[in-house]
Amino acid sequence: MGMAIREAAMDLINYINLSPSPYHAVSEAVKQLSSAGFKRLDETADWSLSPGGLYYLTRNASTLIAFAVGGKYKPGNGCQVIGAHTDSPCLRVKQRSKHSSVGYNLIKSECYGGGIWATWFDRDLKLAGKVVVKTESGLKSKLVHINQPLVHIPTLAIHLDRTVNEAFKFNKEDNLVPVLGLVEKQLVEEKKLGVVEKQQQEFHKHHNSKLIKLLSQELGCTDKDIYGFDLCLADYALGCLGGCDLEFVMAPRQDNLVNAWAGLQALVKHSSKTADSENAAVLCLFDHEEVGSTSAHGAQTELTNLVLQRLSQGKLPQCIARSFLLSADQVHAVHPSYVSKHESSFQPSINGGVTIKHNSNQRYATTAIGAALIRRLAEVNNIPLQEVMVKNDSPCGSTIGPLISAKTGLRTLDLGCPQLSMHSIREMGGSADPYYAVQLYTAFYGQFGELDAQAVDDADDL
């Protein structure tokens, strides 16, 4: 493994380890953008954008759009847009989480997205997300990351279920319940702390007092200052390199933090080379992809159009017609133990490069001319590229690509890095593919506009 490839893989792993929730993924991105000179925009204010400017904005602290305006940009010029998402399937603490059973304190949690929930059993889990706190100036959202093995979801011993290795069946409401601690220990702590149920806020009555205390201690506030939260459970184990030649990335949330990270690195790299660019480079990191993207900060929001509208300064139709979106989301690598699940002519391999996704039924938004342009871009830059289609008898997932394309009119191509164990609590990807993704996305920001301008795809010329 070359040094550049290894450094990219380790940087990705560090980003994943620092991003146990969508809020943390955006926070880490903001830190890197700020260090590179990007300035924060306020959606409620008027914008004064200038050629060569670097900008970003966030919504709900879980969605981010950043862009670098070319030094020779003029209103109506095109944008090279990369879209990814910040969320991953996980368990989230319910808004009324207090629960106990036969001497155990439990946390009621809600399944978010389409996770492989069996993989959440017998894992040490931590807690991370956003907490709303009362301050002297008003309510304020704060990040929280309780980085310790806080809860555990135990399986039933094989002695009590001899069929478990034939079919591991469980009820998500009754059996997929995290254990926080013991009731007896809780009562002792409550007496010691002088906690009186009737003195707590209404919000607090519905949550274990020990959980509230852990949050307040982490945030440096009092229990009564906590007014709300959005908390994710996450694997306590850190991401790492693995395999006999360190050819794998073993980490949670690779779907889709790999592409969020790669797009971020590409934009930061490109931002120092925009003096002669006539276009704008845009990065969109959306929340809620795993649950359909239908929210004020999901990909189906008007946010993409609103940003392009302000950027194009009254020439949005021309801007849309000249722009192109890469919808970057992970791809299923061919599985060595389930080869028959994959189309025999399309078997993306780990570390074989970024993979273009095709689907005639528009589950992916890739077109013939779009795929040809990305193939040419990869060829010019000597970047490995793969392609994939699913079998006719297999279901096909989808991405933010078709959603944004239909809503905005942006020409779009779907692609991503191949991985195994998608939607498991811990996923397996390649250690070289992140490097290839940054290479391709950086080339897209810097060179695609020229290639696109040279291409002809008009009905009159067919």
Side-chain angles (χ1 to χ4, degrees):
M1 182 192 304
M3 184 60 68
I5 290 176
R6 183 186 178 107
E7 288 178 353
M10 292 304 300
D11 192 61
L12 165 65
I13 290 170
N14 184 59
Y15 179 72
I16 291 174
N17 289 340
L18 292 171
S19 304
S21 78
Y23 305 110
H24 289 82
V26 167
S27 176
E28 290 302 319
V30 166
K31 290 176 185 176
Q32 295 190 34
L33 291 168
S34 297
S35 295
F38 284 73
K39 298 178 180 179
R40 180 180 175 276
L41 294 172
D42 182 352
E43 274 195 86
T44 66
D46 293 330
W47 293 358
S48 179
L49 307 177
S50 59
L54 308 175
Y55 308 98
Y56 76 89
L57 65 119
T58 65
R59 262 197 192 177
N60 191 52
S62 61
T63 285
L64 175 145
I65 294 185
F67 53 97
V69 184
K72 297 182 179 179
Y73 177 84
K74 295 180 180 179
N77 283 9
C79 298
Q80 279 71 60
V81 186
I82 294 176
H85 62 91
T86 60
D87 63 321
S88 301
C90 69
L91 296 177
R92 297 201 173 192
V93 177
K94 286 187 175 182
Q95 292 305 304
R96 293 189 175 185
S97 67
K98 192 173 186 177
H99 185 43
S100 64
S101 177
V102 294
Y104 292 94
N105 276 318
L106 309 172
I107 296 179
K108 287 187 175 182
S109 59
E110 183 178 21
C111 297
Y112 174 87
I116 305 177
W117 303 118
T119 63
W120 286 72
F121 283 85
D122 292 334
R123 301 291 302 188
D124 299 326
L125 304 174
K126 59 185 179 180
L127 203 60
K130 181 172 74 172
V131 179
V132 181
V133 177
K134 183 184 70 174
T135 68
E136 291 183 358
S137 58
L139 295 177
K140 182 178 181 180
S141 294
K142 293 187 176 183
L143 288 180
V144 66
H145 182 185
I146 302 178
N147 193 17
Q148 66 185 66
L150 188 64
V151 299
H152 194 93
I153 306 173
T155 50
L156 185 64
I158 192 171
H159 313 81
L160 303 177
D161 181 9
R162 292 294 184 180
T163 66
V164 67
N165 287 325
E166 298 169 17
F168 180 40
K169 296 180 180 180
F170 58 92
N171 183 283
K172 290 185 288 186
E173 179 67 20
D174 299 333
N175 309 133
L176 192 67
V177 184
V179 176
L180 176 65
L182 296 174
V183 171
E184 183 179 357
K185 176 69 173 175
Q186 175 75 18
L187 292 174
V188 172
E189 288 296 322
E190 287 187 355
K191 289 178 181 178
K192 188 185 299 182
L193 294 168
V195 176
V196 180
E197 182 81 6
K198 65 181 180 180
Q199 292 179 344
Q200 292 181 300
Q201 293 182 36
E202 182 66 23
F203 173 77
H204 293 174
K205 292 180 182 180
H206 302 298
H207 301 286
N208 190 286
S209 62
K210 191 65 176 178
L211 173 61
I212 297 296
K213 178 58 64 177
L214 284 166
L215 293 173
S216 65
Q217 289 176 342
E218 189 73 21
L219 294 168
C221 65
T222 66
D223 294 3
K224 65 181 182 180
D225 289 333
I226 294 176
Y227 271 69
F229 56 60
D230 182 12
L231 299 174
C232 305
L233 295 178
D235 188 9
Y236 174 68
L238 296 176
C240 62
L241 293 177
C244 59
D245 293 317
L246 301 180
E247 61 263 65
F248 301 121
V249 172
M250 317 287 206
R253 301 179 296 281
Q254 293 187 61
D255 175 19
N256 188 31
L257 292 186
V258 169
N259 292 289
W261 168 86
L264 176 64
Q265 305 313 305
L267 182 62
V268 169
K269 288 177 182 289
H270 174 73
S271 67
S272 64
K273 305 172 184 177
T274 61
D276 295 324
S277 175
E278 297 179 353
N279 296 331
V282 183
L283 175 67
C284 301
L285 303 181
F286 289 107
D287 196 0
H288 292 161
E289 188 275 345
E290 297 293 355
V291 292
S293 298
T294 307
S295 73
H297 31 279
Q300 294 206 61
T301 181
E302 292 285 349
L303 185 57
T304 305
N305 250 358
L306 293 174
V307 170
L308 294 183
Q309 191 174 53
R310 289 190 174 196
L311 179 59
S312 59
Q313 299 177 38
K315 295 188 176 182
L316 181 61
Q318 297 92 322
C319 173
I320 292 291
R322 293 167 177 155
S323 299
F324 198 94
L325 165 69
L326 291 186
S327 168
D329 204 347
Q330 292 293 83
V331 174
H332 298 294
V334 61
H335 197 299
S337 301
Y338 298 91
V339 178
S340 64
K341 293 290 185 180
H342 303 269
E343 217 279 9
S344 59
S345 299
F346 295 92
Q347 298 186 346
S349 60
I350 283 179
N351 291 330
V354 177
T355 304
I356 297 175
K357 305 177 186 181
H358 300 272
N359 185 265
S360 300
N361 295 300
Q362 298 305 298
R363 300 295 287 172
Y364 303 130
T366 302
T367 61
I369 186 67
L373 283 165
I374 295 302
R375 291 187 197 111
R376 179 57 179 156
L377 181 69
E379 180 183 49
V380 168
N381 291 278
N382 195 30
I383 301 169
L385 195 66
Q386 304 182 88
E387 310 203 21
V388 70
M389 294 185 78
V390 300
K391 298 172 65 176
N392 284 321
D393 59 359
S394 175
C396 180
S398 191
T399 70
I400 64 174
L403 301 178
I404 298 177
S405 181
K407 198 161 190 77
T408 63
L410 283 170
R411 295 172 297 151
T412 302
L413 178 136
D414 276 287
L415 80 179
C417 295
Q419 69 165 78
L420 296 171
S421 303
M422 191 178 291
H423 287 199
S424 171
I425 193 173
R426 202 163 177 84
E427 300 171 327
M428 181 177 179
S431 56
D433 288 325
Y435 173 78
Y436 298 143
V438 174
Q439 280 191 310
L440 183 64
Y441 299 165
T442 304
F444 172 72
Y445 279 144
Q447 303 170 28
F448 183 85
E450 184 177 352
L451 284 176
D452 188 28
Q454 296 169 354
V456 178
D457 190 37
D458 294 325
D460 294 342
D461 295 306
L462 293 179

